[in-house]
Amino acid sequence: MNDHLARALELAERGRGTTHPNPVVGAVVVKDGEVVGEGWHERKGEPHGEVLALRAAGERARGATLYLTMEPCAHRGSTPPCTGAVIAAGVRRVVAASLDPNPKAGGGLELLREAGVEVEHADLFEARAQNEAWRRWISQGRPFVIYKAAMTVDGRLTIPDERWISGEESRRLVHELRAASDAVGVGMGTVHADSPRLDARDVEAPRQPRRLAFGRGPLPDDSELELRSGTLTDELAALAEEGVQSLLLEGGPTLAAAFLREALLDKLLVFVAPKLAGAGPTLFEGEISTGRLTRFTARPVGEDVLLSGYVNEP
């Protein structure tokens, strides 16, 4: 990866948690091999990353190369189109790590090319993954859905007479995942079996996720979850309209299989513990189609191993 694009990705992360519902975006201006300006999108309604980087560069932006995590927007929203700022600054070349999937704002590179600016689409997966939830939400009108599960080495989701499968480090990471998600959901089977709270505990959480139960009601009287009884497609569309960009599924194998069959599951996170159960439910309940995960990785988390892969890449 180009060093300047790597730096732009790093800068973009500084806006994590403050740009919502906008994506995070970072920018670097380089002139004669020297970085002369940097910026990142900080908050909705404020200038985008490339505009701040160009301001920092000033006159040195003329004839320079602008490196971006996402192509400049080409429409007026709460801020003017960034393509106009790039052209006005006299930038010679723009390298974007990803395209803008927003049907109202995309096409920035093409506009710049027509204006005589040299452009390059670097097409980095890392840049798409950085805004994976936003990209699914803005392009398909539904949240990005992650199914999280913990299982034994023999592929079971429960162990008789044990509350936890995964270790303490894995459970802490799950709370961090909740804190980073707009919503967390389970099925009614999990509601009745476990009475889950689904909140983020003992981690930094500026806001709590919405906590959902998918399926037929009623909910138990003491449940604090929201009941979502419509079809999965309709419920995800409604959640998207309400601003939910990311959904962490913690429900059991029946709910997970339903999402998978409806092509509504985007990513799997499976914590594999060094334990044997001998019997019990598996990752998906019922028939599912065959397939292959992409970007498959495995990494240790305490005594467990976290397997990660995409069903649908961003």
Side-chain angles (χ1 to χ4, degrees), residues 156-224:
R156 305 297 178 170
L157 302 187
T158 60
I159 301 177
D161 302 321
E162 288 194 29
R163 181 180 181 186
W164 307 112
I165 289 180
S166 56
E168 183 177 346
E169 292 89 343
S170 295
R171 297 198 299 273
R172 179 179 175 82
L173 180 53
V174 169
H175 283 278
E176 292 175 356
L177 290 168
R178 290 177 181 177
S181 301
D182 293 330
V184 182
V186 296
M188 291 302 295
T190 301
V191 170
H192 292 298
D194 299 334
S195 300
R197 290 168 54 183
L198 304 184
D199 55 342
R201 301 186 296 276
D202 302 321
V203 296
E204 184 177 347
R207 61 185 174 91
Q208 288 290 335
R210 290 177 61 175
R211 296 169 293 160
L212 316 175
F214 291 93
R216 301 291 183 184
L219 288 168
D221 291 340
D222 60 349
S223 176
E224 297 182 357

Coordinates of all heavy atoms in Angstrom, one line a residue, residues 156-224:
R156 N -19.9 -26.7 18.5 CA -21.2 -26.6 19.2 C -21.3 -25.2 19.9 O -20.3 -24.6 20.3 CB -21.3 -27.7 20.3 CG -21.1 -29.1 19.7 CD -22.2 -29.4 18.7 NE -22.1 -30.8 18.2 CZ -23.0 -31.4 17.4 NH1 -24.1 -30.8 17.2 NH2 -22.7 -32.6 17.0
L157 N -22.5 -24.7 20.0 CA -22.7 -23.4 20.5 C -23.1 -23.4 22.0 O -23.2 -22.3 22.6 CB -23.8 -22.6 19.8 CG -23.6 -22.5 18.2 CD1 -24.7 -21.6 17.7 CD2 -22.3 -21.9 17.9
T158 N -23.2 -24.5 22.6 CA -23.5 -24.6 24.0 C -22.7 -25.8 24.6 O -22.3 -26.7 23.9 CB -25.0 -24.9 24.3 OG1 -25.4 -26.1 23.7 CG2 -25.9 -23.7 23.8
I159 N -22.4 -25.6 25.9 CA -21.8 -26.7 26.7 C -22.7 -27.0 27.9 O -23.0 -26.1 28.6 CB -20.4 -26.3 27.1 CG1 -19.5 -26.0 25.9 CG2 -19.7 -27.4 27.9 CD1 -18.1 -25.5 26.3
P160 N -23.0 -28.2 28.2 CA -23.9 -28.5 29.3 C -23.3 -28.0 30.6 O -22.1 -28.2 30.9 CB -23.9 -30.1 29.3 CG -23.7 -30.4 27.9 CD -22.7 -29.4 27.4
D161 N -24.1 -27.3 31.4 CA -23.8 -26.8 32.7 C -22.7 -25.8 32.7 O -22.1 -25.5 33.7 CB -23.3 -28.0 33.6 CG -24.4 -29.1 33.8 OD1 -25.6 -28.7 33.8 OD2 -24.0 -30.3 33.8
E162 N -22.4 -25.1 31.6 CA -21.5 -24.0 31.5 C -22.1 -22.8 30.9 O -22.9 -22.9 29.9 CB -20.2 -24.4 30.7 CG -19.3 -25.4 31.3 CD -17.9 -25.4 30.7 OE1 -17.5 -24.4 30.1 OE2 -17.3 -26.5 30.7
R163 N -21.9 -21.7 31.5 CA -22.5 -20.4 31.1 C -21.8 -19.9 29.8 O -22.4 -19.4 28.9 CB -22.6 -19.4 32.2 CG -23.2 -18.1 31.8 CD -23.2 -17.1 32.9 NE -23.9 -15.8 32.5 CZ -23.9 -14.7 33.2 NH1 -23.4 -14.7 34.4 NH2 -24.6 -13.6 32.8
W164 N -20.5 -19.9 29.9 CA -19.7 -19.3 28.8 C -18.9 -20.4 28.1 O -18.4 -21.3 28.6 CB -18.6 -18.3 29.4 CG -19.2 -17.3 30.3 CD1 -19.0 -17.2 31.7 CD2 -20.0 -16.2 30.0 NE1 -19.7 -16.1 32.2 CE2 -20.3 -15.5 31.1 CE3 -20.6 -15.8 28.7 CZ2 -21.1 -14.3 31.1 CZ3 -21.4 -14.6 28.7 CH2 -21.6 -13.9 29.9
I165 N -18.8 -20.2 26.8 CA -17.9 -21.0 25.9 C -16.6 -20.3 25.8 O -15.5 -20.8 26.0 CB -18.5 -21.2 24.5 CG1 -19.7 -22.2 24.7 CG2 -17.5 -21.8 23.6 CD1 -20.4 -22.5 23.3
S166 N -16.6 -19.0 25.4 CA -15.4 -18.3 25.2 C -14.8 -17.7 26.5 O -15.4 -17.7 27.5 CB -15.6 -17.1 24.2 OG -16.7 -16.3 24.7
G167 N -13.5 -17.3 26.4 CA -12.8 -16.8 27.6 C -13.1 -15.3 27.8 O -13.8 -14.7 27.1
E168 N -12.5 -14.8 28.9 CA -12.7 -13.5 29.4 C -12.3 -12.4 28.3 O -13.0 -11.5 28.1 CB -12.0 -13.2 30.7 CG -12.2 -11.8 31.3 CD -11.5 -11.6 32.6 OE1 -11.0 -12.7 33.2 OE2 -11.4 -10.5 33.1
E169 N -11.2 -12.6 27.6 CA -10.7 -11.7 26.6 C -11.7 -11.6 25.5 O -12.0 -10.5 25.0 CB -9.3 -12.0 26.1 CG -8.2 -11.8 27.2 CD -8.0 -13.1 28.0 OE1 -8.9 -14.0 28.0 OE2 -7.0 -13.2 28.6
S170 N -12.2 -12.7 25.1 CA -13.2 -12.7 24.0 C -14.5 -12.0 24.4 O -15.1 -11.3 23.6 CB -13.5 -14.2 23.6 OG -12.4 -14.8 23.0
R171 N -14.9 -12.3 25.6 CA -16.2 -11.6 26.0 C -16.0 -10.1 26.1 O -16.9 -9.4 25.8 CB -16.6 -12.2 27.4 CG -16.9 -13.7 27.3 CD -17.7 -14.2 28.5 NE -17.1 -14.0 29.7 CZ -16.2 -14.9 30.3 NH1 -15.9 -16.0 29.6 NH2 -15.7 -14.7 31.5
R172 N -14.8 -9.7 26.5 CA -14.6 -8.2 26.5 C -14.6 -7.6 25.1 O -15.2 -6.6 24.9 CB -13.2 -7.9 27.2 CG -12.9 -6.4 27.2 CD -11.6 -6.0 27.8 NE -11.3 -4.6 27.7 CZ -11.8 -3.7 28.5 NH1 -12.6 -4.0 29.5 NH2 -11.5 -2.4 28.3
L173 N -14.1 -8.4 24.1 CA -14.1 -7.9 22.8 C -15.5 -7.8 22.3 O -15.9 -6.9 21.5 CB -13.3 -8.8 21.9 CG -13.2 -8.5 20.4 CD1 -12.8 -7.1 20.1 CD2 -12.3 -9.5 19.7
V174 N -16.4 -8.8 22.7 CA -17.8 -8.7 22.3 C -18.4 -7.4 22.8 O -19.2 -6.8 22.1 CB -18.5 -10.0 22.8 CG1 -20.1 -9.8 22.6 CG2 -18.1 -11.2 22.1
H175 N -18.1 -7.0 24.0 CA -18.7 -5.8 24.5 C -18.2 -4.6 23.7 O -18.9 -3.6 23.5 CB -18.4 -5.6 26.0 CG -19.3 -6.5 26.9 ND1 -20.5 -6.1 27.2 CD2 -19.0 -7.7 27.4 CE1 -21.1 -7.1 28.0 NE2 -20.2 -8.1 28.1
E176 N -16.9 -4.6 23.3 CA -16.4 -3.6 22.4 C -17.1 -3.6 21.1 O -17.4 -2.5 20.5 CB -14.9 -3.8 22.2 CG -14.1 -3.6 23.4 CD -12.6 -3.9 23.2 OE1 -12.2 -4.3 22.1 OE2 -11.8 -3.6 24.2
L177 N -17.4 -4.7 20.5 CA -18.2 -4.8 19.3 C -19.6 -4.2 19.5 O -20.1 -3.5 18.6 CB -18.3 -6.3 18.8 CG -17.0 -6.9 18.3 CD1 -17.2 -8.4 18.2 CD2 -16.6 -6.3 17.0
R178 N -20.2 -4.5 20.6 CA -21.5 -3.9 20.9 C -21.4 -2.4 20.9 O -22.3 -1.7 20.4 CB -22.1 -4.4 22.2 CG -22.5 -5.9 22.2 CD -22.9 -6.3 23.6 NE -23.3 -7.7 23.7 CZ -23.7 -8.3 24.8 NH1 -23.7 -7.6 25.9 NH2 -24.1 -9.6 24.8
A179 N -20.4 -1.9 21.6 CA -20.3 -0.4 21.7 C -20.1 0.2 20.4 O -20.4 1.4 20.2 CB -19.1 -0.1 22.6
A180 N -19.5 -0.5 19.4 CA -19.2 0.0 18.1 C -20.4 -0.1 17.1 O -20.3 0.4 16.0 CB -17.9 -0.6 17.5
S181 N -21.4 -0.9 17.5 CA -22.5 -1.1 16.7 C -23.7 -0.2 17.0 O -23.9 0.2 18.1 CB -23.0 -2.6 16.8 OG -21.9 -3.5 16.5
D182 N -24.5 0.0 15.9 CA -25.7 0.8 16.1 C -26.8 0.0 16.8 O -27.7 0.6 17.5 CB -26.2 1.3 14.8 CG -25.3 2.4 14.1 OD1 -24.6 3.1 14.9 OD2 -25.2 2.4 12.9
A183 N -26.8 -1.3 16.5 CA -27.9 -2.2 17.1 C -27.3 -3.6 17.3 O -26.4 -4.0 16.6 CB -29.1 -2.2 16.2
V184 N -27.9 -4.3 18.3 CA -27.5 -5.7 18.6 C -28.8 -6.4 18.6 O -29.8 -6.0 19.2 CB -26.8 -5.8 19.9 CG1 -26.4 -7.3 20.2 CG2 -25.6 -4.9 20.0
G185 N -28.9 -7.6 18.0 CA -30.1 -8.3 17.9 C -30.0 -9.8 18.2 O -28.9 -10.4 18.0
V186 N -31.1 -10.4 18.7 CA -31.2 -11.8 18.9 C -32.5 -12.3 18.5 O -33.4 -11.5 18.1 CB -31.0 -12.2 20.4 CG1 -29.6 -11.8 20.9 CG2 -32.0 -11.5 21.3
G187 N -32.7 -13.6 18.5 CA -34.0 -14.2 18.2 C -34.8 -14.5 19.4 O -34.3 -14.4 20.5
M188 N -36.1 -14.9 19.3 CA -36.9 -15.1 20.5 C -36.4 -16.3 21.3 O -36.6 -16.4 22.5 CB -38.4 -15.3 20.0 CG -39.0 -14.0 19.5 SD -38.9 -12.6 20.8 CE -40.0 -13.3 22.0
G189 N -35.8 -17.3 20.6 CA -35.3 -18.4 21.3 C -34.2 -18.0 22.3 O -34.2 -18.5 23.5
T190 N -33.4 -17.1 21.9 CA -32.3 -16.6 22.8 C -32.9 -15.8 23.9 O -32.5 -15.8 25.1 CB -31.3 -15.8 22.0 OG1 -30.7 -16.6 21.0 CG2 -30.2 -15.2 22.9
V191 N -34.0 -15.0 23.6 CA -34.6 -14.2 24.6 C -35.2 -15.0 25.7 O -34.9 -14.8 26.9 CB -35.8 -13.4 24.0 CG1 -36.6 -12.7 25.1 CG2 -35.3 -12.3 23.0
H192 N -35.8 -16.1 25.4 CA -36.5 -17.0 26.4 C -35.4 -17.8 27.1 O -35.6 -18.1 28.3 CB -37.5 -17.8 25.8 CG -38.7 -17.1 25.3 ND1 -39.5 -16.3 26.2 CD2 -39.3 -16.9 24.1 CE1 -40.5 -15.8 25.5 NE2 -40.4 -16.1 24.2
A193 N -34.4 -18.2 26.4 CA -33.4 -19.1 27.0 C -32.4 -18.3 27.9 O -32.0 -18.9 29.0 CB -32.6 -19.8 25.9
D194 N -32.0 -17.1 27.5 CA -30.9 -16.4 28.2 C -31.3 -15.1 28.8 O -30.5 -14.5 29.6 CB -29.8 -16.2 27.2 CG -29.2 -17.5 26.7 OD1 -29.3 -18.5 27.4 OD2 -28.6 -17.5 25.6
S195 N -32.4 -14.5 28.5 CA -32.8 -13.2 29.0 C -31.7 -12.2 28.8 O -31.2 -11.5 29.7 CB -33.2 -13.2 30.5 OG -34.3 -14.1 30.7
P196 N -31.1 -12.1 27.5 CA -29.9 -11.2 27.3 C -30.2 -9.7 27.5 O -31.3 -9.2 27.2 CB -29.6 -11.5 25.9 CG -30.9 -11.9 25.2 CD -31.7 -12.6 26.3
R197 N -29.2 -9.0 28.0 CA -29.3 -7.6 28.1 C -28.8 -6.9 26.9 O -29.3 -5.9 26.5 CB -28.4 -7.1 29.3 CG -29.0 -7.5 30.7 CD -28.0 -7.4 31.8 NE -27.4 -6.0 31.9 CZ -26.5 -5.6 32.7 NH1 -26.0 -6.4 33.6 NH2 -26.1 -4.3 32.7
L198 N -27.7 -7.4 26.2 CA -27.2 -6.9 25.0 C -26.6 -5.5 25.0 O -26.3 -4.9 24.0 CB -28.3 -6.9 23.9 CG -29.0 -8.3 23.6 CD1 -29.9 -8.1 22.4 CD2 -28.0 -9.4 23.3
D199 N -26.4 -5.0 26.2 CA -25.7 -3.7 26.3 C -24.2 -3.9 26.4 O -23.7 -5.0 26.6 CB -26.2 -2.9 27.6 CG -26.0 -3.7 28.8 OD1 -25.9 -5.0 28.8 OD2 -26.1 -3.1 29.9
A200 N -23.5 -2.8 26.2 CA -22.0 -2.8 26.2 C -21.6 -2.4 27.7 O -21.9 -1.3 28.1 CB -21.4 -1.8 25.2
R201 N -20.9 -3.3 28.3 CA -20.5 -3.2 29.7 C -19.0 -3.2 29.9 O -18.3 -4.0 29.2 CB -21.2 -4.2 30.6 CG -22.7 -4.2 30.5 CD -23.4 -5.2 31.5 NE -23.0 -6.6 31.2 CZ -23.6 -7.4 30.3 NH1 -24.6 -6.9 29.6 NH2 -23.3 -8.6 30.2
D202 N -18.5 -2.4 30.8 CA -17.1 -2.4 31.2 C -16.2 -2.1 30.1 O -15.0 -2.5 30.1 CB -16.7 -3.8 31.8 CG -17.6 -4.1 33.1 OD1 -17.9 -3.2 33.9 OD2 -18.0 -5.3 33.2
V203 N -16.6 -1.4 29.1 CA -15.8 -0.8 28.0 C -16.2 0.6 27.7 O -17.3 1.0 28.2 CB -15.9 -1.7 26.7 CG1 -15.4 -3.1 26.9 CG2 -17.4 -1.7 26.2
E204 N -15.4 1.3 27.0 CA -15.8 2.7 26.7 C -16.9 2.7 25.7 O -16.8 2.1 24.6 CB -14.6 3.5 26.1 CG -14.9 4.9 25.8 CD -13.6 5.7 25.3 OE1 -12.5 5.1 25.4 OE2 -13.8 6.8 24.8
A205 N -18.0 3.3 26.0 CA -19.2 3.2 25.1 C -19.9 4.6 25.2 O -20.8 4.8 26.1 CB -20.2 2.1 25.6
P206 N -19.6 5.5 24.3 CA -20.2 6.8 24.3 C -21.7 6.7 24.2 O -22.5 7.6 24.6 CB -19.6 7.5 23.1 CG -18.3 6.8 22.8 CD -18.5 5.4 23.2
R207 N -22.2 5.7 23.5 CA -23.6 5.4 23.4 C -23.9 3.9 23.4 O -23.0 3.2 23.0 CB -24.2 6.1 22.1 CG -23.6 5.5 20.9 CD -24.1 6.2 19.6 NE -23.3 5.7 18.4 CZ -23.7 4.7 17.7 NH1 -24.9 4.0 18.0 NH2 -23.1 4.3 16.6
Q208 N -25.0 3.5 23.9 CA -25.4 2.1 23.9 C -26.1 1.8 22.6 O -26.8 2.6 22.0 CB -26.3 1.8 25.1 CG -25.6 1.8 26.4 CD -24.7 0.6 26.6 OE1 -24.9 -0.4 26.0 NE2 -23.7 0.8 27.4
P209 N -25.9 0.6 22.1 CA -26.6 0.2 20.9 C -28.1 0.0 21.1 O -28.5 -0.3 22.3 CB -26.0 -1.2 20.5 CG -25.5 -1.7 21.8 CD -25.1 -0.5 22.6
R210 N -28.9 0.1 20.1 CA -30.3 -0.4 20.2 C -30.3 -1.9 20.4 O -29.5 -2.6 19.8 CB -31.1 0.1 19.0 CG -31.3 1.6 19.0 CD -32.0 2.0 17.7 NE -33.4 1.4 17.6 CZ -34.2 1.8 16.6 NH1 -33.9 2.7 15.7 NH2 -35.4 1.2 16.6
R211 N -31.2 -2.4 21.2 CA -31.2 -3.8 21.5 C -32.5 -4.4 21.0 O -33.6 -4.0 21.5 CB -31.0 -4.0 23.1 CG -29.7 -3.5 23.5 CD -29.6 -3.4 25.0 NE -30.5 -2.4 25.6 CZ -30.9 -2.4 26.8 NH1 -30.5 -3.3 27.7 NH2 -31.7 -1.4 27.3
L212 N -32.4 -5.4 20.1 CA -33.5 -5.9 19.4 C -33.8 -7.3 19.6 O -32.9 -8.1 19.8 CB -33.3 -5.6 17.9 CG -32.7 -4.2 17.5 CD1 -32.5 -4.2 16.0 CD2 -33.7 -3.1 17.8
A213 N -35.1 -7.7 19.4 CA -35.5 -9.1 19.4 C -36.3 -9.4 18.1 O -37.3 -8.7 17.9 CB -36.3 -9.5 20.6
F214 N -35.8 -10.2 17.3 CA -36.5 -10.5 16.0 C -37.4 -11.8 16.2 O -36.9 -12.8 16.7 CB -35.5 -10.8 14.9 CG -34.7 -9.6 14.5 CD1 -33.4 -9.4 15.0 CD2 -35.1 -8.8 13.5 CE1 -32.7 -8.3 14.6 CE2 -34.4 -7.7 13.1 CZ -33.2 -7.4 13.7
G215 N -38.6 -11.6 15.8 CA -39.5 -12.8 15.9 C -40.9 -12.4 16.4 O -41.2 -11.3 16.6
R216 N -41.7 -13.4 16.7 CA -43.0 -13.3 17.2 C -43.0 -13.0 18.7 O -42.2 -13.6 19.4 CB -43.9 -14.5 16.9 CG -44.0 -14.9 15.5 CD -44.8 -13.9 14.7 NE -45.0 -14.3 13.3 CZ -45.6 -13.6 12.4 NH1 -46.1 -12.4 12.7 NH2 -45.7 -14.0 11.1
G217 N -43.8 -12.1 19.1 CA -43.9 -11.8 20.5 C -44.8 -12.7 21.2 O -45.3 -13.7 20.7
P218 N -45.2 -12.4 22.5 CA -44.7 -11.2 23.1 C -43.4 -11.4 23.8 O -43.0 -12.5 24.1 CB -45.8 -10.9 24.2 CG -46.3 -12.3 24.5 CD -46.2 -13.1 23.2
L219 N -42.7 -10.3 24.2 CA -41.5 -10.3 25.0 C -41.9 -10.6 26.4 O -43.0 -10.2 26.9 CB -40.7 -9.0 24.9 CG -40.0 -8.7 23.5 CD1 -39.6 -7.3 23.5 CD2 -38.9 -9.7 23.3
P220 N -41.0 -11.2 27.2 CA -41.2 -11.3 28.6 C -41.4 -9.9 29.3 O -40.9 -8.9 28.8 CB -39.9 -11.9 29.2 CG -39.4 -12.7 28.0 CD -39.7 -11.8 26.8
D221 N -42.2 -9.8 30.3 CA -42.5 -8.5 30.9 C -41.3 -7.7 31.4 O -41.3 -6.5 31.3 CB -43.5 -8.8 32.1 CG -44.8 -9.3 31.7 OD1 -45.2 -9.1 30.6 OD2 -45.5 -9.9 32.6
D222 N -40.2 -8.4 31.8 CA -39.1 -7.7 32.3 C -38.0 -7.5 31.2 O -36.9 -7.0 31.5 CB -38.4 -8.5 33.4 CG -38.0 -9.9 33.0 OD1 -38.4 -10.3 31.9 OD2 -37.3 -10.6 33.8
S223 N -38.3 -7.8 29.9 CA -37.4 -7.6 28.8 C -37.3 -6.1 28.5 O -38.3 -5.4 28.4 CB -37.8 -8.4 27.6 OG -36.9 -8.1 26.5
E224 N -36.1 -5.6 28.2 CA -35.9 -4.2 27.8 C -35.6 -4.1 26.3 O -35.2 -3.1 25.8 CB -34.8 -3.6 28.6 CG -35.1 -3.4 30.1 CD -34.0 -2.7 30.8 OE1 -33.0 -2.4 30.2 OE2 -34.2 -2.5 32.0

